[in-house]
């Protein structure tokens, strides 16, 4: 085949990939619209539209035409002619193709129905705190996931194959190591903090005008460098960020009338996700690499901006006055230090989504260990309530009164998302490791925060992480940027450096 | 072929039609989003998404598969087995199929490029009031339309084929007749009004708080029966209504800071379009009949609700107090009668989109005569400025100072929309004719308006017009509902009955 034919084939393939991406972008916009105020009577027909377009995108990604492209471009002769980006595009398409092709359609269809039923059964079970009602569904979901793993194949632990879906390359071996190191330091630190005096938080629970909260959120977003020409802020019950393309990365938040900080930190969190997606290289637009490289790296950016920037002493030395002026008379008697301490309060709790920066990781480890144990057969679904409660007692020193606030609290398992939870804690570890590098590369890091000059930080992250999108793996990124593999010590150091002085510990 | 095969084929065809509709719904939502706040940096890629989905919908509508369905269901044996609705679905699909198939793709592609260039050239020409700059583009557009008409075929006047695209069944013969009758009455009426005393309108030009305008618009929409569970109100520079499906019909408006009535009547206008689309029969969802039957009938509903309801004396006898209370201190000294007279002021003007209920029809007739003359060769594009100005002088007694406020004022011709303009005036005539029937069928019509009880009116229109969607032609509807063909006398009577007392004429 001549060089012209080869180039023609490559152009065709790229156009084909772009077409799939276009369908996904349309579906993404429809979902954004559904969550931000689409009228409910139009939902039935809109679901059909989503079904039509999603099915079309799926069909394209597993079609014979796709199979032929992949065969062609994975032939050694042809593969070696591809540049780095095109190799990654082919690799990513092949990974998805293989994963989809290995599951018999009827089995997958059954699983979709199962998880859909399980989600509504979970809701009912949670309302009545009745794990037994949910148990048979969860058993089937676990069994199906085990069958999927057999079909997909696995190396080492079966759970590895599921982890890889959210965090490419991540393994049980690695997670055991980093989580164990983290737990050994966090559990005693938390115990020490428990004995110390708690900061006053009462002033955070006042009536804070929603319009002013919004105004302050918009102000902070602009300060952080969120590009409003490439995004917009809306309100939803559950805040989220969605990158339709790098020129259209939308975020949402919610303004609780009696909590000034929920919307603010939620907004900064979503802003972190958005900064990542807004700064993916334009070269990757229309490819399957035009997204964050993994859930964990994505979460590292939301956590970095929320916690390491947004909850830092320097940040509030710059913005606390603005906040006070936004709510005149409401925070006048609260010192900057008192505010800083209040928004960094840590305390063991039962509910993951309300957990703070320090305890969050422990909530995740519990779920990780349960998922791993279910996959290996160490324990069964029937054991879960007991295992859950024992682990909460051991790691966090708290125990739920019922399964609704215990093992039934998250929807993830009902939806079949096994392997997703670790991303949250990985995000914290990656974030601390990136932050360590940032402080070395930008020695005036703290001064920049104190000046509200985030541009050099955003530029560093864009240049070294964001622009790559999914064209490098999480491990390639963390090694290139920080010079080593994932190392939980950075998070341990960060947490100790932050919380020990906060709670007057030595 | 057995009955089972036949039914199977019909199910397949209906599914195929529904698929096209789903693509169109997705594209409709993307357009809504673009106009209500999509971030501009995402536009490039979003245009590609629109292109992808529109092309797909177009391909489906002219595919060999579609051709086979149409051949099959237009065979007399098969056609007679179809129920009324399915016959209409086939007919509509065939009409679109034939129209698209008759234009060579290269010619159509060229035309798309031409109109796109023409639109930007028109913008430039309008800014500098330089018709000569736009003239060569318009000449090409007219010539291409003439070629299209030759390819599509025509009966009687060539313009008939273009009229039929917007108003199925409408002809030059009919329009000449109704416009001439209307003009003969409206021009002298307007001349009489010109001599009478003008109402005071100064109080309409105050600062009206936008948030309160919005609140009042929302209130009126609820009163009129706009279903907020099947729609939403947003703000755009150019107000519009868009029916994605009957459960999701969105409208937009704009709040001018110094004009209380622009947003209000604009909202009621769009509400009229929306009531139509929200009340199409659920049976038609997912078919090509799930839309208004024509531009003219659609416009009749926006005009009916805006003018015959929203500008009626009875309406304001019910709502003027609410309006006064919405803007305390701003309208206290303005009597209900003075307000009614001010919002029904009529005066010849140069600009169509600012024209009132009475003069609007004259603006339309001028455009109609020009389009007709261009198609028949009665005059050339080069003649247009002169023809335009002469007709404005003759019909409205005003003459533009330059082409920007004259022949260059509308974008329609640059976009190639020949045959569209008459819909606006047809809408007024249909509206008056429907209103006449309504008053006969619901003798307490005026009392209902005065009570703000619009449900019986909305129900009558739903039952006799809206629910049919596009499953009946405009003429079938007007005959069935009013017992006769389009008759301009109803509009003449309505205008005389309204304006003579308003201006103290005998």
């Amino acid at each position: 085949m001549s060089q012209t034919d080869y180039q023609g084939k490559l152009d065709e393939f790229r156009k084909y990939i772009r077409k799939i991406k276009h369908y996904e972008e349309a579906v993404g916009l429809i979902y954004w619209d559904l969550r931000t105020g689409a009228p409910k009577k139009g939902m039935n027909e809109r679901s059909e539209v989503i079904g039509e377009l999603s099915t079309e995108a799926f069909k394209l990604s597993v079609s014979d035409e796709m199979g032929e492209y992949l065969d062609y471009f994975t032939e050694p002769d042809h593969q070696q002619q591809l540049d780095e980006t095109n190799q990654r595009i082919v690799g990513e398409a092949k990974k998805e193709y293989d994963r989809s092709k290995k599951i018999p359609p009827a089995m997958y269809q059954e699983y979709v129905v199962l998880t859909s039923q399980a989600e509504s059964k979970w809701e009912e079970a949670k309302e009545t705190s009745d794990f037994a009602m949910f148990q048979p569904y969860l058993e089937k979901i676990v069994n199906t996931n085990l069958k999927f793993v057999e079909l997909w194949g696995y190396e080492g632990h079966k759970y590895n194959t599921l982890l890889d879906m959210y965090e490419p390359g991540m393994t049980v071996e690695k997670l055991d190591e980093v989580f164990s190191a983290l737990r050994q330091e966090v559990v005693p630190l938390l115990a020490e903090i428990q004995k110390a005096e708690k900061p006053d938080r009462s002033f955070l629970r006042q009536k804070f005008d929603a319009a002013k909260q919004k105004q302050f959120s918009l102000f902070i977003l602009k300060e952080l460098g969120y590009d409003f020409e490439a995004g917009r802020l809306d309100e939803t019950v559950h805040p989220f960020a969605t990158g339709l393309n790098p020129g259209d990365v939308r975020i949402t938040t919610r303004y609780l009338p009696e909590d000034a900080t929920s919307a603010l930190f939620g907004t900064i969190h979503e802003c972190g996700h958005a900064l990542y997606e807004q700064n993916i290289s334009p070269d990757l637009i229309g490819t399957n690499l035009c997204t964050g490289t993994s859930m964990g790296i994505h979460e590292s950016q939301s956590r970095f901006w929320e916690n390491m920037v947004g909850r830092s002493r320097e940040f509030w030395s710059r913005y606390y006055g603005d906040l006070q002026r936004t709510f005149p008379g409401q925070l006048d008697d609260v010192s900057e230090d008192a505010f800083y301490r209040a928004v960094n309060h840590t305390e063991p709790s039962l509910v993951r989504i309300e957990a703070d920066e320090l305890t969050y990781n422990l909530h995740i480890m519990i779920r990780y260990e349960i998922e791993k144990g279910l996959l290996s057969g160490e324990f069964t679904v029937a054991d879960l309530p007991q295992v859950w409660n024992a682990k909460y007692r051991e790691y966090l020193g708290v125990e739920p009164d019922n399964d609704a606030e215990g093992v039934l609290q998250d929807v993830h398992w009902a939806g079949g998302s096994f392997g997703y939870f670790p991303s949250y804690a990985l995000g914290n570890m990656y974030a601390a490791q990136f932050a360590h590098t940032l402080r070395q590369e930008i020695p005036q890091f703290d001064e920049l925060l104190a000046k509200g000059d985030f541009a050099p930080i955003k530029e560093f992250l864009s240049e070294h992480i964001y622009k790559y999108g999914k064209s490098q793996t999480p491990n390639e990124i963390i090694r290139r940027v920080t010079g080593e593999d994932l190392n939980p010590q950075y998070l341990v150091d960060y947490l100790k450096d932050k919380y020990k002085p906060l709670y007057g510990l030595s």
Side-chain angles (χ1 to χ4, degrees), chain A residues 372-408:
Chain A
K372 187 178 67 164
L374 283 173
L375 268 287
S376 69
E378 188 192 335
F379 38 76
T380 66
V381 169
D383 302 329
L384 287 200
Q386 188 203 333
V387 173
W388 181 283
N389 294 355
K391 286 190 186 287
Y392 263 80
R393 198 168 47 236
E394 182 186 350
Y395 294 174
L396 284 149
V398 293
E399 200 171 331
D401 286 335
N402 54 59
D403 290 337
E405 56 179 31
V407 67
L408 286 171

Side-chain angles (χ1 to χ4, degrees), chain A residues 311-497:
Chain A
R311 288 187 209 266
S312 70
R313 195 178 276 282
E314 293 75 19
F315 183 87
W316 288 108
S317 78
R318 167 65 189 82
Y319 292 107
Y320 189 57
D322 290 309
L323 186 71
Q324 284 178 313
R325 281 186 292 279
T326 302
F327 300 103
Q330 295 194 253
L331 295 168
D332 295 0
D333 302 335
V334 180
S335 72
E336 185 188 309
D337 185 61
F339 182 81
Y340 169 69
R341 290 164 59 85
V343 301
N344 282 293
H345 169 64
T346 179
E347 192 169 20
S349 67
L350 290 167
V351 180
R352 177 183 62 85
I353 59 166
E354 292 161 11
D356 56 70
E357 194 182 1
L358 180 64
T359 58
Y360 202 99
N361 304 298
L362 299 171
H363 290 265
I364 294 307
M365 287 176 209
I366 292 168
R367 287 156 180 78
Y368 163 69
E369 290 170 19
I370 287 175
E371 292 188 353
K372 187 178 67 164
L374 283 173
L375 268 287
S376 69
E378 188 192 335
F379 38 76
T380 66
V381 169
D383 302 329
L384 287 200
Q386 188 203 333
V387 173
W388 181 283
N389 294 355
K391 286 190 186 287
Y392 263 80
R393 198 168 47 236
E394 182 186 350
Y395 294 174
L396 284 149
V398 293
E399 200 171 331
D401 286 335
N402 54 59
D403 290 337
E405 56 179 31
V407 67
L408 286 171
Q409 73 180 251
D410 298 308
V411 69
H412 297 58
W413 294 336
S417 300
F418 286 88
Y420 184 130
F421 277 124
S423 312
Y424 297 114
L426 284 168
N428 287 330
M429 289 187 275
Y430 288 139
Q433 192 163 336
F434 287 139
H436 178 81
T437 299
L438 262 171
R439 285 174 187 281
Q440 289 182 315
E441 299 290 328
I442 307 179
Q444 72 284 23
F445 182 83
D446 288 337
E447 288 78 9
L448 291 175
L449 296 193
K451 281 196 293 181
D453 181 5
F454 306 106
I457 298 168
K458 195 188 81 174
E459 274 156 29
F460 181 91
L461 293 169
S462 294
E463 196 50 40
H464 294 90
I465 303 174
Y466 302 166
K467 77 172 186 189
Y468 291 94
K470 206 171 182 169
S471 69
Q472 295 202 338
T473 66
N475 204 45
E476 283 170 337
I477 290 172
I478 195 96
R479 284 187 69 100
R480 180 175 43 70
V481 176
T482 72
E484 58 178 312
D485 283 352
L486 173 62
N487 180 346
Q489 193 56 42
Y490 294 106
L491 181 58
V492 169
D493 292 345
Y494 162 79
L495 291 171
K496 282 187 178 168
D497 289 351

Side-chain angles (χ1 to χ4, degrees), chain A residues 155-161 163 169-179 368 372 375:
Chain A
E155 284 177 36
H157 201 290
K158 288 179 181 174
Y159 190 35
N160 289 348
T161 295
L163 287 171
M170 187 50 62
T171 62
V172 162
E173 295 67 27
K174 183 73 184 170
L175 278 180
D176 279 347
E177 175 201 324
V178 297
F179 278 167
Y368 163 69
K372 187 178 67 164
L375 268 287

Side-chain angles (χ1 to χ4, degrees), chain A residues 10-21:
Chain A
L10 183 57
D11 292 346
E12 256 179 45
F13 170 65
R14 287 289 300 264
K15 205 173 153 193
Y16 191 85
I17 291 284
R18 188 164 201 141
K19 182 171 183 171
I20 297 174
K21 198 75 185 170

Side-chain angles (χ1 to χ4, degrees), chain A residues 17-196:
Chain A
I17 291 284
R18 188 164 201 141
K19 182 171 183 171
I20 297 174
K21 198 75 185 170
H22 287 156
Y23 277 84
E24 290 170 351
E25 181 165 330
V27 171
L29 180 66
I30 296 173
Y31 273 116
W32 171 85
D33 181 68
L34 283 183
R35 296 165 80 174
T36 53
K40 68 177 190 178
K41 288 186 181 168
M43 296 267 283
N44 271 351
E45 196 60 11
R46 192 65 36 75
S47 306
E48 301 272 334
V49 175
I50 291 174
E52 193 89 52
L53 299 180
S54 305
T55 303
E56 199 60 35
F58 179 76
K59 277 187 189 164
L60 289 167
S61 71
V62 298
S63 69
D64 292 345
E65 191 176 349
M66 176 64 97
E68 281 162 27
Y69 286 128
L70 295 176
D71 284 347
Y72 181 85
F73 287 112
T74 51
E75 257 180 51
D77 263 13
H78 298 141
Q79 187 162 28
Q80 69 186 21
Q81 289 184 64
L82 293 173
D83 67 15
E84 173 73 16
T85 301
N86 280 316
Q87 280 188 23
R88 298 281 180 156
I89 291 170
V90 170
E92 183 63 23
K94 186 159 168 50
K95 193 169 176 179
E96 196 187 334
Y97 179 86
D98 288 342
R99 181 139 49 204
S100 303
K101 281 290 197 185
K102 283 178 182 167
I103 306 292
M107 187 189 234
Y108 183 71
Q109 195 47 44
E110 243 177 72
Y111 185 64
V112 169
V113 174
L114 171 63
T115 52
S116 157
Q117 290 170 339
E119 284 190 32
S120 73
K121 198 49 90 171
W122 163 79
E123 211 162 300
E124 214 183 319
K126 188 177 175 180
E127 263 168 38
T128 52
S129 195
D130 181 359
F131 182 76
M133 178 190 284
F134 180 51
Q135 185 179 322
Y137 292 87
L138 188 54
E139 279 165 354
K140 279 188 207 161
I141 289 173
V142 170
N143 285 337
T144 312
N145 271 280
L146 281 166
K147 281 183 208 159
F148 286 170
V149 169
E150 291 295 339
L151 290 164
W152 283 327
Y154 59 95
E155 284 177 36
H157 201 290
K158 288 179 181 174
Y159 190 35
N160 289 348
T161 295
L162 300 180
L163 287 171
D164 185 77
M165 291 178 65
Y166 302 95
E167 201 63 20
M170 187 50 62
T171 62
V172 162
E173 295 67 27
K174 183 73 184 170
L175 278 180
D176 279 347
E177 175 201 324
V178 297
F179 278 167
S180 155
L182 188 58
R183 195 174 57 246
Q184 278 166 27
E185 301 274 6
V186 167
V187 171
L189 175 61
L190 189 59
E192 271 194 275
I193 289 173
Q194 284 294 92
K195 289 179 224 142

Side-chain angles (χ1 to χ4, degrees), chain A residues 189 192-193 195-199 313 341 496-506:
Chain A
L189 175 61
E192 271 194 275
I193 289 173
K195 289 179 224 142
E197 198 189 339
K198 293 185 191 353
R313 195 178 276 282
R341 290 164 59 85
K496 282 187 178 168
D497 289 351
K498 178 166 189 175
Y499 283 99
K500 285 198 162 188
L502 255 166
Y503 282 89
L505 309 175
S506 59

